[in-house]
Amino acid sequence: MSVAENLGIIRERVRQAALRAGRAPESVRLVAVSKTKPAAAIEEAYACGQQIFGENYVQELVGKKAELSSAISWHFIGNLQSNKVRQIAGMVDLIHSVDRLSLAAEIDRQWGALGKVCEVLIQVNISREETKGGTSSEELLQLVRDVARLPHLRVVGLMTMPPFFDDPEGARPYFRELRDLAGKLQAAAIPGVEMRELSMGMSGDFEAAIEEGATLVRVGSALFGERQYR
């Protein structure tokens, strides 16, 4: 099927999942994961009203932003190296993957040089998988307190990536724990910190994530088809 057809199906699945959870469908935003996908595919989704696109690789993001509509909202969702932050400074509306103070400090420095504030999510490695980034649940509170002191960053929520399961129900406890962690951080009332966003759920499990409170779901293969791995 075309990107337009896939997008229509995904939107309806998002709507139904939100309604099952007693939530307003508009409380969930779709991040179209466009890594390795050509500009033409992004243009097709954008023409159908998709606003937010998520990229994992700095060079791809820089190239696509230069080529595509300036109205697109870009999110950086992959592992971000501190030495590449400068290349995307001011280009993205949200970074999903802040997991250490050194990275946060570099983002603060680069956005500060532009006189801007960068909104970020703190990535939590709830599953403790060595192949995935993210701070631990135990270190989360202190990291958020430290990041919150940086003047050109604003923590607006959390992100996680659960292990892969054939059955999306397997991921549900990880989504629920992220929601619970967000609740604890909200209760801590750290100045300048909001817990308005929960980025969790991908093509295979985004409905379970929505039912557990996701506000941002990162969907790639269900929208654009299987990607080229790199």
Side-chain angles (χ1 to χ4, degrees), residues 2 44 49 54 56 60 90 104 115-116 124 131 135 159-160 186 188 197:
S2 68
E44 183 178 354
N56 286 59
E60 271 196 65
K116 296 182 177 182
V124 189
T131 57
T135 190
M159 184 269 262
T160 199
Q186 193 69 41
E197 303 287 7

Side-chain angles (χ1 to χ4, degrees), residues 15 20 25 39 71 83 103 134 141-142 161-162 164 173 182 191-192 213 223:
R15 190 181 77 86
R20 284 196 301 273
N83 63 2
L103 173 60
L141 177 60
Q142 187 58 52
M161 296 178 64
F164 173 78
L223 175 58

